[in-house]
Amino acid sequence: MSNHDASHLNQPLGGNEMPRFGGIASMMRLPTQADADGLDAAFVGIPMDIGTSNRPGTRLGPRQIRDESRMLRPYNMATRAAPFDSLQVADTGDVAINTFDLKKSVEIIRQHYRELLSHDAVPLTLGGDHTLTWPVLQAIAEKHGPVGLIHIDAHADINPHMFGEEVAHGCPIRRAQEEGLLDSQRVIQIGLRGTGYAADDFDWCRDQGFRVVTAEQCWYKSLEPLMAEVRDQMGDRPVYITFDIDALDPSVAPGTGTVEAAGLTMSQGLEIVRGAWGLNIVGGDLVEVAPPYDPSGNTALMGATALYEMLCVLPGVKRR
């Protein structure tokens, strides 16, 4: 935490000061600013779906996540985390991607995060499709070196290419590993499931040293014991969290582009993020919310909740 006077820390706009359906639709109705100057943590949107392979719509994700985040209140009643009493947090708006050119967008994202990280703020990203995690990790690794990764997803995202392209939402973990952005002995992938193009699809991950925990290994279980092992595995070195909303079961989160049956429960998703408490978290993202397939708004609310929980486990957050 930076040396901020607690009385000058940003606070979300409360539901008793302004009706929840009013006010500016920033993340948790926090103050907004154009850059990360003076911040300990920054919510950032990347409104992009040009890396998707099935249903589009994640370009609308950041706006909908912000809108549904109006239900979130400052204090975490389960963990007693008080992030807004501890850190200076704001919504720094969206990355101005090139919506006609995915490769240019990747470079725009990388440069944007380089600038953000120069302020020593921890980025929490509202996606957007999963392609974005690769350029974000490029900027993160420039600052912190290879990072441990907690990857929550239905898919391993280790395709060598899609339609001959190396930049797509099914490739970011493959690219990150190839570029040495990951500390491969500190990578865990949780929730992988479904069908594959080859019987050994997930074995590439294991061959890299990644720990793979399939959705079937999580069925009917609390994931608290798993996360105790993850904390030991990660140690005190930098860790990044990437949470693809399709890790969750479609009964909880239908609003996404590549749905798979029989996923994690939301309570398991919360156990994973809350289980990262005490780790040296240097960034996180929540990706693949596609509002056109989310008629109730619940998928976006689950995404907003996961991002809030990531904020609650950042270094420096007090527990009341």
Side-chain angles (χ1 to χ4, degrees):
M1 175 184 171
S2 299
N3 294 318
H4 298 298
D5 180 342
S7 65
H8 291 98
L9 293 176
N10 290 340
Q11 294 290 331
L13 179 61
N16 293 322
E17 302 164 60
M18 169 67 73
R20 295 203 171 276
F21 43 82
I24 300 298
S26 61
M27 183 64 182
M28 292 185 69
R29 305 197 299 176
L30 279 162
T32 62
Q33 60 184 66
D35 59 29
D37 185 38
L39 299 182
D40 300 306
F43 288 109
V44 191
I46 304 182
M48 179 173 82
D49 62 9
I50 45 175
T52 56
S53 57
N54 186 36
R55 302 192 298 202
T58 56
R59 66 179 60 190
L60 306 175
R63 183 167 291 195
Q64 193 67 32
I65 290 167
R66 288 182 173 109
D67 191 19
E68 297 299 338
S69 75
R70 68 187 185 271
M71 277 305 299
L72 300 173
R73 301 169 185 86
Y75 294 94
N76 191 319
M77 303 311 291
T79 67
R80 305 188 73 86
F84 304 105
D85 293 0
S86 312
L87 305 178
Q88 185 69 290
V89 188
D91 187 329
T92 61
D94 290 335
V95 179
I97 60 121
N98 181 333
T99 198
F100 307 111
D101 192 318
L102 183 57
K103 293 183 176 73
K104 285 183 180 174
S105 291
V106 163
E107 179 58 28
I108 289 166
I109 293 164
R110 183 191 303 118
Q111 295 294 352
H112 187 100
Y113 279 74
R114 278 177 178 154
E115 199 283 329
L116 187 153
L117 289 163
S118 73
H119 297 284
D120 293 327
V122 176
L124 296 172
T125 303
L126 295 65
D129 74 64
H130 216 157
T131 313
L132 65 88
T133 299
W134 173 42
V136 172
L137 283 171
Q138 287 177 321
I140 291 270
E142 282 182 17
K143 183 177 179 69
H144 297 285
V147 294
L149 185 71
I150 299 173
H151 177 203
I152 309 147
D153 203 329
H155 310 98
D157 289 355
I158 48 86
N159 290 335
H161 49 75
M162 301 185 81
F163 299 97
E165 296 290 340
E166 294 188 346
V167 184
H169 76 157
C171 309
I173 306 305
R174 182 80 165 225
R175 301 287 89 83
Q177 173 65 359
E178 288 171 348
E179 292 187 359
L181 311 180
L182 304 177
D183 178 355
S184 58
Q185 299 306 306
R186 295 192 305 123
V187 175
I188 183 167
Q189 299 180 290
I190 307 171
L192 306 191
R193 63 186 190 278
T195 50
Y197 289 109
D200 60 355
D201 268 3
F202 298 157
D203 291 339
W204 185 89
C205 309
R206 298 181 177 103
D207 290 344
Q208 307 306 303
F210 301 175
R211 180 173 181 182
V212 174
V213 180
T214 64
E216 289 80 4
Q217 292 171 275
C218 301
W219 287 354
Y220 316 117
K221 292 177 185 173
S222 166
L223 299 186
E224 284 190 6
L226 171 66
M227 292 311 295
E229 296 174 9
V230 170
R231 288 193 297 276
D232 288 341
Q233 178 185 3
M234 296 296 168
D236 59 3
R237 287 174 289 164
V239 178
Y240 188 87
I241 301 173
T242 182
F243 195 139
D244 186 325
I245 203 73
D246 69 27
L248 301 177
D249 189 79
S251 63
V252 177
T256 192
T258 49
V259 174
E260 304 284 357
L264 304 178
T265 65
M266 186 60 191
S267 55
Q268 289 175 319
L270 291 181
E271 285 180 319
I272 295 167
V273 178
R274 290 174 180 174
W277 168 251
L279 295 179
N280 182 14
I281 306 296
V282 295
D285 63 51
L286 186 288
V287 299
E288 297 287 351
V289 170
Y293 302 95
D294 188 28
S296 69
N298 277 3
T299 309
L301 178 58
M302 298 308 105
T305 302
L307 284 160
Y308 168 73
E309 294 282 349
M310 288 184 208
L311 176 67
C312 288
V313 296
L314 293 186
V317 172
K318 302 178 188 127
R319 294 193 166 187
R320 295 283 181 214

